């Protein structure tokens, strides 16, 4: 495979579009990865940007890049959590306390810590549906596309997540 030409207008356009995408959405994608429970959100987001960089020419609509990026972050967090569950299952010693990165901690204000802890206790699909719906403000159809499930499943996961989150938050009062 030949390296991309620095003079190729398509490559120049791709670089500029990705730079804009990075400037506009890096912080929100990082917060999304944190809220979904990634243990290494910076690496997850970097991998998502790398994947969109590689597949840029295959995007049907450059306007859909943000949605593709969001879906990629969700999928990567999901895969990372599954991987860690398998690793922990086969560890000989019990896992230590998970320590969040300094960047992740800085993103969370003190008044959000209780809510984040409660979110982390939810099943992954419920947490993902709630974050996409209430933090990003996505529509059910957009959430369904990002999660790879039906709109009905989105409603179910959201309702169950809200109910569990409400019970957890009321119990902590």
């Amino acid at each position: 495979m030949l390296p991309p030409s620095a003079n190729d207008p398509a490559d120049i356009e791709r670089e500029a579009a990705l730079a804009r995408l990075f400037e506009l959405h890096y912080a929100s994608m990082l917060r999304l990865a944190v809220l979904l429970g990634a243990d290494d959100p910076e690496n997850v987001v970097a991998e998502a940007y790398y994947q969109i960089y590689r597949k840029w020419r295959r995007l049907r609509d450059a306007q859909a890049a943000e949605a593709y990026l969001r879906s990629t972050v969700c999928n990567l967090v999901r895969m990372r959590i599954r991987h860690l569950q398998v690793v922990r299952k086969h560890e000989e010693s019990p896992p230590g306390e998970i320590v969040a990165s300094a960047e992740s901690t800085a993103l969370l204000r003190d008044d959000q810590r209780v809510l984040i802890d409660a979110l982390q206790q939810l099943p992954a699909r419920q947490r993902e549906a709630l974050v996409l719906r209430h933090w990003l403000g996505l529509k059910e159809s957009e959430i369904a596309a990002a999660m790879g499930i039906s709109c009905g499943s989105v409603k179910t996961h959201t309702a169950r997540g809200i109910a569990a989150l409400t019970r957890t938050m009321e119990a902590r009062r």
Side-chain angles (χ1 to χ4, degrees):
M1 181 176 193
L2 297 173
S5 169
N7 296 328
D8 183 1
D11 287 334
I12 294 170
E13 179 183 331
R14 175 177 66 167
E15 296 288 332
L18 282 167
R20 280 191 308 277
L21 190 67
F22 185 85
E23 289 172 15
L24 293 173
H25 301 292
Y26 177 79
S28 64
M29 292 301 145
L30 185 61
R31 286 188 194 100
L32 175 62
V34 168
L35 291 171
L36 292 177
D39 66 328
D40 58 348
E42 297 85 6
N43 288 336
V44 167
V45 175
E47 176 65 22
Y49 274 98
Y50 173 70
Q51 286 188 19
I52 199 168
Y53 175 81
R54 285 184 29 233
K55 297 176 182 177
W56 187 263
R57 291 182 183 170
R58 287 184 264 165
L59 282 178
R60 292 185 184 144
D61 180 13
Q63 300 301 320
E66 178 188 358
Y68 176 82
L69 189 61
R70 189 174 32 252
S71 284
T72 303
V73 168
C74 291
N75 289 335
L76 289 171
V77 169
R78 208 176 301 129
M79 289 185 329
R80 178 73 180 151
I81 289 171
R82 268 191 241 127
H83 170 75
L84 290 175
Q85 288 172 341
V86 170
V87 168
R88 288 180 183 134
K89 184 178 179 181
H90 297 289
E91 277 184 345
E92 290 184 21
S93 61
E97 183 179 330
I98 298 174
V99 178
S101 69
E103 292 85 1
S104 300
T105 305
L107 290 172
L108 303 174
R109 297 191 323 248
D110 290 332
D111 59 340
Q112 295 173 323
R113 294 197 195 287
V114 172
L115 178 60
I116 299 302
D117 288 342
L119 267 174
Q120 297 304 322
Q121 301 306 312
L122 294 176
R125 289 295 197 170
Q126 291 176 13
R127 179 177 57 243
E128 198 171 323
L130 288 176
V131 168
L132 293 172
R133 175 71 182 113
H134 295 285
W135 185 73
L136 288 180
L138 298 181
K139 298 175 188 170
E140 287 175 1
S141 59
E142 294 171 320
I143 297 168
M147 293 177 65
I149 59 177
S150 70
C151 287
S153 293
V154 169
K155 291 177 185 179
T156 300
H157 289 307
T158 303
R160 289 179 181 167
I162 287 288
L165 194 59
T166 301
R167 284 191 303 272
T168 302
M169 296 300 286
E170 286 178 355
R172 290 187 177 194
R173 286 186 178 182

